[in-house]
PDB file of all heavy atoms in Angstrom:
ATOM      1  N   SER A  28       8.741  50.565 -67.664  1.00 37.00           N
ATOM      2  CA  SER A  28      10.117  50.396 -67.695  1.00 37.00           C
ATOM      3  C   SER A  28      10.888  51.282 -66.696  1.00 37.00           C
ATOM      4  O   SER A  28      11.845  50.857 -66.093  1.00 37.00           O
ATOM      5  CB  SER A  28      10.606  50.708 -69.141  1.00 37.00           C
ATOM      6  OG  SER A  28      10.299  51.974 -69.435  1.00 37.00           O
ATOM      7  N   ALA A  29      10.331  52.505 -66.492  1.00 36.00           N
ATOM      8  CA  ALA A  29      10.948  53.361 -65.520  1.00 36.00           C
ATOM      9  C   ALA A  29      10.855  52.691 -64.121  1.00 36.00           C
ATOM     10  O   ALA A  29      11.841  52.725 -63.292  1.00 36.00           O
ATOM     11  CB  ALA A  29      10.304  54.720 -65.479  1.00 36.00           C
ATOM     12  N   ALA A  30       9.629  52.250 -63.831  1.00 40.00           N
ATOM     13  CA  ALA A  30       9.513  51.684 -62.445  1.00 40.00           C
ATOM     14  C   ALA A  30      10.370  50.462 -62.267  1.00 40.00           C
ATOM     15  O   ALA A  30      11.028  50.227 -61.316  1.00 40.00           O
ATOM     16  CB  ALA A  30       8.073  51.262 -62.260  1.00 40.00           C
ATOM     17  N   LEU A  31      10.385  49.515 -63.283  1.00 40.00           N
ATOM     18  CA  LEU A  31      11.169  48.261 -63.093  1.00 40.00           C
ATOM     19  C   LEU A  31      12.637  48.468 -63.048  1.00 40.00           C
ATOM     20  O   LEU A  31      13.372  47.791 -62.351  1.00 40.00           O
ATOM     21  CB  LEU A  31      10.759  47.325 -64.243  1.00 40.00           C
ATOM     22  CG  LEU A  31       9.318  46.834 -64.204  1.00 40.00           C
ATOM     23  CD1 LEU A  31       9.127  45.852 -65.336  1.00 40.00           C
ATOM     24  CD2 LEU A  31       9.034  46.153 -62.842  1.00 40.00           C
ATOM     25  N   MET A  32      13.121  49.404 -63.874  1.00 38.00           N
ATOM     26  CA  MET A  32      14.608  49.538 -63.993  1.00 38.00           C
ATOM     27  C   MET A  32      15.178  50.687 -63.108  1.00 38.00           C
ATOM     28  O   MET A  32      16.365  50.869 -63.058  1.00 38.00           O
ATOM     29  CB  MET A  32      14.922  49.811 -65.431  1.00 38.00           C
ATOM     30  CG  MET A  32      14.596  48.656 -66.328  1.00 38.00           C
ATOM     31  SD  MET A  32      15.193  47.031 -65.683  1.00 38.00           S
ATOM     32  CE  MET A  32      16.971  47.296 -65.697  1.00 38.00           C
ATOM     33  N   VAL A  33      14.289  51.473 -62.422  1.00 39.00           N
ATOM     34  CA  VAL A  33      14.810  52.425 -61.530  1.00 39.00           C
ATOM     35  C   VAL A  33      14.117  52.221 -60.147  1.00 39.00           C
ATOM     36  O   VAL A  33      13.572  53.108 -59.562  1.00 39.00           O
ATOM     37  CB  VAL A  33      14.560  53.892 -62.044  1.00 39.00           C
ATOM     38  CG1 VAL A  33      15.386  54.900 -61.247  1.00 39.00           C
ATOM     39  CG2 VAL A  33      14.870  53.974 -63.499  1.00 39.00           C
ATOM     40  N   GLY A  34      14.221  50.995 -59.655  1.00 41.00           N
ATOM     41  CA  GLY A  34      13.461  50.722 -58.479  1.00 41.00           C
ATOM     42  C   GLY A  34      14.132  51.238 -57.187  1.00 41.00           C
ATOM     43  O   GLY A  34      14.510  50.560 -56.314  1.00 41.00           O
ATOM     44  N   LEU A  35      14.293  52.604 -57.180  1.00 41.00           N
ATOM     45  CA  LEU A  35      14.861  53.179 -56.006  1.00 41.00           C
ATOM     46  C   LEU A  35      13.969  52.973 -54.795  1.00 41.00           C
ATOM     47  O   LEU A  35      12.778  52.722 -54.912  1.00 41.00           O
ATOM     48  CB  LEU A  35      14.991  54.735 -56.236  1.00 41.00           C
ATOM     49  CG  LEU A  35      16.014  55.068 -57.384  1.00 41.00           C
ATOM     50  CD1 LEU A  35      16.002  56.604 -57.443  1.00 41.00           C
ATOM     51  CD2 LEU A  35      17.379  54.626 -57.103  1.00 41.00           C
ATOM     52  N   THR A  36      14.528  53.129 -53.600  1.00 43.00           N
ATOM     53  CA  THR A  36      13.735  52.808 -52.348  1.00 43.00           C
ATOM     54  C   THR A  36      13.880  53.969 -51.426  1.00 43.00           C
ATOM     55  O   THR A  36      14.847  54.768 -51.564  1.00 43.00           O
ATOM     56  CB  THR A  36      14.294  51.502 -51.720  1.00 43.00           C
ATOM     57  OG1 THR A  36      15.711  51.807 -51.281  1.00 43.00           O
ATOM     58  CG2 THR A  36      14.403  50.427 -52.718  1.00 43.00           C
ATOM     59  N   PRO A  37      13.088  54.025 -50.390  1.00 43.00           N
ATOM     60  CA  PRO A  37      13.133  55.018 -49.460  1.00 43.00           C
ATOM     61  C   PRO A  37      14.458  55.174 -48.702  1.00 43.00           C
ATOM     62  O   PRO A  37      14.857  56.228 -48.287  1.00 43.00           O
ATOM     63  CB  PRO A  37      11.981  54.677 -48.507  1.00 43.00           C
ATOM     64  CG  PRO A  37      11.772  53.255 -48.689  1.00 43.00           C
ATOM     65  CD  PRO A  37      12.095  52.921 -50.086  1.00 43.00           C
ATOM     66  N   ALA A  38      15.123  54.063 -48.507  1.00 40.00           N
ATOM     67  CA  ALA A  38      16.298  54.109 -47.795  1.00 40.00           C
ATOM     68  C   ALA A  38      17.558  54.563 -48.605  1.00 40.00           C
ATOM     69  O   ALA A  38      18.686  54.567 -48.126  1.00 40.00           O
ATOM     70  CB  ALA A  38      16.629  52.785 -47.166  1.00 40.00           C
ATOM     71  N   ALA A  39      17.318  55.003 -49.819  1.00 42.00           N
ATOM     72  CA  ALA A  39      18.428  55.382 -50.649  1.00 42.00           C
ATOM     73  C   ALA A  39      19.149  56.530 -50.071  1.00 42.00           C
ATOM     74  O   ALA A  39      20.379  56.677 -50.374  1.00 42.00           O
ATOM     75  CB  ALA A  39      17.954  55.693 -52.091  1.00 42.00           C
ATOM     76  N   ALA A  40      18.602  57.344 -49.259  1.00 41.00           N
ATOM     77  CA  ALA A  40      19.254  58.391 -48.602  1.00 41.00           C
ATOM     78  C   ALA A  40      19.653  58.075 -47.179  1.00 41.00           C
ATOM     79  O   ALA A  40      20.185  58.886 -46.434  1.00 41.00           O
ATOM     80  CB  ALA A  40      18.429  59.648 -48.593  1.00 41.00           C
ATOM     81  N   SER A  41      19.364  56.826 -46.826  1.00 51.00           N
ATOM     82  CA  SER A  41      19.519  56.462 -45.393  1.00 51.00           C
ATOM     83  C   SER A  41      21.048  55.999 -45.207  1.00 51.00           C
ATOM     84  O   SER A  41      21.239  54.812 -44.874  1.00 51.00           O
ATOM     85  CB  SER A  41      18.611  55.386 -45.015  1.00 51.00           C
ATOM     86  OG  SER A  41      18.757  55.016 -43.630  1.00 51.00           O
ATOM     87  N   ALA A  42      21.949  56.764 -45.518  1.00 68.00           N
ATOM     88  CA  ALA A  42      23.386  56.413 -45.375  1.00 68.00           C
ATOM     89  C   ALA A  42      24.182  57.625 -45.493  1.00 68.00           C
ATOM     90  O   ALA A  42      23.626  58.739 -45.497  1.00 68.00           O
ATOM     91  CB  ALA A  42      23.771  55.424 -46.438  1.00 68.00           C
ATOM     92  N   HIS A  43      25.507  57.544 -45.595  1.00 76.00           N
ATOM     93  CA  HIS A  43      26.299  58.734 -45.719  1.00 76.00           C
ATOM     94  C   HIS A  43      27.567  58.446 -46.527  1.00 76.00           C
ATOM     95  O   HIS A  43      27.976  57.267 -46.667  1.00 76.00           O
ATOM     96  CB  HIS A  43      26.648  59.223 -44.333  1.00 76.00           C
ATOM     97  CG  HIS A  43      27.699  58.395 -43.563  1.00 76.00           C
ATOM     98  ND1 HIS A  43      27.309  57.059 -43.252  1.00 76.00           N
ATOM     99  CD2 HIS A  43      28.874  58.592 -43.188  1.00 76.00           C
ATOM    100  CE1 HIS A  43      28.335  56.512 -42.580  1.00 76.00           C
ATOM    101  NE2 HIS A  43      29.308  57.414 -42.557  1.00 76.00           N
ATOM    102  N   ASP A  44      28.168  59.479 -47.031  1.00 82.00           N
ATOM    103  CA  ASP A  44      29.410  59.351 -47.779  1.00 82.00           C
ATOM    104  C   ASP A  44      30.549  59.310 -46.719  1.00 82.00           C
ATOM    105  O   ASP A  44      30.562  60.009 -45.744  1.00 82.00           O
ATOM    106  CB  ASP A  44      29.641  60.596 -48.707  1.00 82.00           C
ATOM    107  CG  ASP A  44      28.601  60.576 -49.824  1.00 82.00           C
ATOM    108  OD1 ASP A  44      28.367  59.517 -50.483  1.00 82.00           O
ATOM    109  OD2 ASP A  44      27.962  61.635 -50.001  1.00 82.00           O
ATOM    110  N   GLU A  45      31.525  58.442 -47.009  1.00 89.00           N
ATOM    111  CA  GLU A  45      32.621  58.245 -46.100  1.00 89.00           C
ATOM    112  C   GLU A  45      33.888  57.807 -46.938  1.00 89.00           C
ATOM    113  O   GLU A  45      33.730  57.375 -48.103  1.00 89.00           O
ATOM    114  CB  GLU A  45      32.287  57.224 -45.008  1.00 89.00           C
ATOM    115  CG  GLU A  45      33.318  57.015 -43.911  1.00 89.00           C
ATOM    116  CD  GLU A  45      33.729  58.327 -43.323  1.00 89.00           C
ATOM    117  OE1 GLU A  45      33.011  58.805 -42.404  1.00 89.00           O
ATOM    118  OE2 GLU A  45      34.776  58.884 -43.665  1.00 89.00           O
ATOM    119  N   ARG A  46      35.051  57.926 -46.378  1.00 92.00           N
ATOM    120  CA  ARG A  46      36.291  57.472 -47.038  1.00 92.00           C
ATOM    121  C   ARG A  46      36.184  55.910 -47.279  1.00 92.00           C
ATOM    122  O   ARG A  46      35.392  55.203 -46.627  1.00 92.00           O
ATOM    123  CB  ARG A  46      37.527  57.780 -46.096  1.00 92.00           C
ATOM    124  CG  ARG A  46      37.484  56.942 -44.809  1.00 92.00           C
ATOM    125  CD  ARG A  46      38.819  57.202 -44.019  1.00 92.00           C
ATOM    126  NE  ARG A  46      38.915  56.246 -42.952  1.00 92.00           N
ATOM    127  CZ  ARG A  46      38.842  56.500 -41.614  1.00 92.00           C
ATOM    128  NH1 ARG A  46      38.529  57.774 -41.267  1.00 92.00           N
ATOM    129  NH2 ARG A  46      39.030  55.609 -40.732  1.00 92.00           N
ATOM    130  N   THR A  47      36.997  55.529 -48.165  1.00 91.00           N
ATOM    131  CA  THR A  47      37.159  53.977 -48.375  1.00 91.00           C
ATOM    132  C   THR A  47      37.727  53.398 -47.100  1.00 91.00           C
ATOM    133  O   THR A  47      38.790  53.836 -46.626  1.00 91.00           O
ATOM    134  CB  THR A  47      38.015  53.732 -49.563  1.00 91.00           C
ATOM    135  OG1 THR A  47      37.421  54.374 -50.734  1.00 91.00           O
ATOM    136  CG2 THR A  47      38.111  52.235 -49.769  1.00 91.00           C
ATOM    137  N   THR A  48      37.021  52.466 -46.567  1.00 94.00           N
ATOM    138  CA  THR A  48      37.514  51.893 -45.247  1.00 94.00           C
ATOM    139  C   THR A  48      38.150  50.506 -45.477  1.00 94.00           C
ATOM    140  O   THR A  48      37.804  49.818 -46.451  1.00 94.00           O
ATOM    141  CB  THR A  48      36.252  51.726 -44.305  1.00 94.00           C
ATOM    142  OG1 THR A  48      35.208  50.980 -45.010  1.00 94.00           O
ATOM    143  CG2 THR A  48      35.738  53.070 -43.833  1.00 94.00           C
ATOM    144  N   ARG A  49      38.973  50.179 -44.600  1.00 91.00           N
ATOM    145  CA  ARG A  49      39.658  48.871 -44.659  1.00 91.00           C
ATOM    146  C   ARG A  49      38.702  47.743 -44.164  1.00 91.00           C
ATOM    147  O   ARG A  49      37.737  47.992 -43.330  1.00 91.00           O
ATOM    148  CB  ARG A  49      41.011  48.857 -43.844  1.00 91.00           C
ATOM    149  CG  ARG A  49      40.688  49.131 -42.400  1.00 91.00           C
ATOM    150  CD  ARG A  49      41.979  49.228 -41.544  1.00 91.00           C
ATOM    151  NE  ARG A  49      41.628  49.546 -40.097  1.00 91.00           N
ATOM    152  CZ  ARG A  49      42.454  49.423 -39.124  1.00 91.00           C
ATOM    153  NH1 ARG A  49      43.671  48.978 -39.356  1.00 91.00           N
ATOM    154  NH2 ARG A  49      42.090  49.750 -37.934  1.00 91.00           N
ATOM    155  N   THR A  50      38.968  46.554 -44.529  1.00 92.00           N
ATOM    156  CA  THR A  50      38.226  45.409 -44.041  1.00 92.00           C
ATOM    157  C   THR A  50      38.902  44.970 -42.700  1.00 92.00           C
ATOM    158  O   THR A  50      40.137  44.698 -42.696  1.00 92.00           O
ATOM    159  CB  THR A  50      38.302  44.230 -45.053  1.00 92.00           C
ATOM    160  OG1 THR A  50      37.604  44.701 -46.232  1.00 92.00           O
ATOM    161  CG2 THR A  50      37.492  43.035 -44.460  1.00 92.00           C
ATOM    162  N   LEU A  51      38.093  44.875 -41.642  1.00 95.00           N
ATOM    163  CA  LEU A  51      38.721  44.430 -40.394  1.00 95.00           C
ATOM    164  C   LEU A  51      38.985  42.898 -40.382  1.00 95.00           C
ATOM    165  O   LEU A  51      38.294  42.178 -41.048  1.00 95.00           O
ATOM    166  CB  LEU A  51      37.666  44.743 -39.201  1.00 95.00           C
ATOM    167  CG  LEU A  51      37.394  46.246 -39.105  1.00 95.00           C
ATOM    168  CD1 LEU A  51      36.254  46.412 -38.020  1.00 95.00           C
ATOM    169  CD2 LEU A  51      38.541  47.084 -38.813  1.00 95.00           C
ATOM    170  N   ASP A  52      40.049  42.506 -39.670  1.00 95.00           N
ATOM    171  CA  ASP A  52      40.367  41.102 -39.684  1.00 95.00           C
ATOM    172  C   ASP A  52      39.640  40.238 -38.745  1.00 95.00           C
ATOM    173  O   ASP A  52      39.736  39.045 -38.619  1.00 95.00           O
ATOM    174  CB  ASP A  52      41.925  40.913 -39.436  1.00 95.00           C
ATOM    175  CG  ASP A  52      42.335  41.473 -38.027  1.00 95.00           C
ATOM    176  OD1 ASP A  52      41.470  41.684 -37.212  1.00 95.00           O
ATOM    177  OD2 ASP A  52      43.581  41.643 -37.870  1.00 95.00           O
ATOM    178  N   GLY A  53      38.753  40.883 -37.880  1.00 95.00           N
ATOM    179  CA  GLY A  53      37.873  40.127 -36.999  1.00 95.00           C
ATOM    180  C   GLY A  53      38.537  39.532 -35.788  1.00 95.00           C
ATOM    181  O   GLY A  53      37.943  38.617 -35.191  1.00 95.00           O
ATOM    182  N   THR A  54      39.762  39.968 -35.446  1.00 96.00           N
ATOM    183  CA  THR A  54      40.420  39.369 -34.292  1.00 96.00           C
ATOM    184  C   THR A  54      40.107  40.088 -32.974  1.00 96.00           C
ATOM    185  O   THR A  54      40.591  39.622 -31.921  1.00 96.00           O
ATOM    186  CB  THR A  54      41.938  39.396 -34.585  1.00 96.00           C
ATOM    187  OG1 THR A  54      42.359  40.823 -34.762  1.00 96.00           O
ATOM    188  CG2 THR A  54      42.322  38.613 -35.833  1.00 96.00           C
ATOM    189  N   GLY A  55      39.333  41.143 -33.001  1.00 96.00           N
ATOM    190  CA  GLY A  55      39.006  41.804 -31.830  1.00 96.00           C
ATOM    191  C   GLY A  55      37.954  41.078 -30.991  1.00 96.00           C
ATOM    192  O   GLY A  55      37.566  39.943 -31.245  1.00 96.00           O
ATOM    193  N   SER A  56      37.406  41.789 -29.970  1.00 98.00           N
ATOM    194  CA  SER A  56      36.339  41.269 -29.108  1.00 98.00           C
ATOM    195  C   SER A  56      35.555  42.380 -28.522  1.00 98.00           C
ATOM    196  O   SER A  56      36.041  43.589 -28.563  1.00 98.00           O
ATOM    197  CB  SER A  56      36.948  40.388 -28.015  1.00 98.00           C
ATOM    198  OG  SER A  56      37.847  41.223 -27.201  1.00 98.00           O
ATOM    199  N   VAL A  57      34.391  42.032 -28.002  1.00 98.00           N
ATOM    200  CA  VAL A  57      33.542  43.078 -27.424  1.00 98.00           C
ATOM    201  C   VAL A  57      34.162  43.396 -26.088  1.00 98.00           C
ATOM    202  O   VAL A  57      34.362  42.563 -25.260  1.00 98.00           O
ATOM    203  CB  VAL A  57      32.154  42.537 -27.217  1.00 98.00           C
ATOM    204  CG1 VAL A  57      31.317  43.587 -26.533  1.00 98.00           C
ATOM    205  CG2 VAL A  57      31.492  42.155 -28.521  1.00 98.00           C
TER     206      VAL A  57
END
């Protein structure tokens, strides 16, 4: 039950804390 319900992964630390960001409207360009 521990394994099935706590299926953490190696990438669980592969990120960072950041402010809440807005959703971009996608009107830009490269």
Side-chain angles (χ1 to χ4, degrees):
S28 60
L31 293 180
M32 297 310 297
V33 195
L35 297 178
T36 67
S41 181
H43 69 297
D44 294 312
E45 187 50 85
R46 69 175 190 250
T47 301
T48 52
R49 59 180 179 170
T50 300
L51 302 176
D52 61 17
T54 58
S56 61
V57 178

